[in-house]
């Protein structure tokens, strides 16, 4: 594998992982009766019509069908990708439940 192929492979893997992170976020929102798009826009107001979020929304299931996603798991995944703004908004929502 040459350097260009390696770079393309790394980028593709990162994008796949980023999509999974957004899916986890979206499903967590659904599980807690929250609007993923509204929360995402609160964190990133300049990212209207985020393609990855729209794709993730198509893959979410009703909360009765979904598995549990703990608050800590979501926050860890968001942190892993450096989504501090979204993690802050999620933390606010978690505090509202307490």
């Amino acid at each position: 594998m040459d350097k260009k192929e390696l770079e393309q492979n790394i980028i593709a893997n990162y994008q796949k992982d980023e999509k999974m992170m957004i899916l986890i976020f979206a499903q967590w929102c659904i599980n807690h009766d929250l609007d993923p798009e509204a929360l995402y826009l609160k964190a990133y107001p300049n990212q209207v019509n985020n393609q990855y979020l729209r794709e993730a929304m198509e893959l979410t299931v009703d909360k009765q069908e979904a598995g549990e996603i703990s608050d800590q798991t979501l926050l860890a995944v968001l942190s892993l990708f450096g989504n501090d703004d979204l993690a802050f908004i999620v933390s606010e929502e978690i505090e509202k439940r307490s």
Side-chain angles (χ1 to χ4, degrees), residues 15-62:
Q15 288 173 333
K16 183 179 78 172
D17 292 345
E18 185 178 29
K19 287 180 181 181
M20 182 58 67
M21 177 268 306
I22 294 172
L23 176 58
I24 292 168
F25 162 74
Q27 188 63 59
W28 178 89
C29 288
I30 299 298
N31 291 357
H32 293 281
D33 299 316
L34 300 168
D35 180 356
E37 292 174 305
L39 288 184
Y40 195 87
L41 280 176
K42 201 172 179 184
Y44 304 111
N46 295 327
Q47 291 189 25
V48 178
N49 297 323
N50 181 291
Q51 178 184 345
Y52 289 166
L53 182 56
R54 282 191 313 235
E55 291 172 6
M57 293 296 296
E58 293 175 11
L59 298 173
T60 59
V61 296
D62 291 336

Side-chain angles (χ1 to χ4, degrees), residues 51-84:
Q51 178 184 345
Y52 289 166
L53 182 56
R54 282 191 313 235
E55 291 172 6
M57 293 296 296
E58 293 175 11
L59 298 173
T60 59
V61 296
D62 291 336
K63 69 180 184 178
Q64 293 80 10
E65 299 174 38
E68 174 67 24
I69 300 170
S70 74
D71 299 339
Q72 293 75 23
T73 297
L74 176 60
L75 291 172
V77 169
L78 293 175
S79 176
L80 183 65
F81 281 86
N83 283 323
D84 297 331

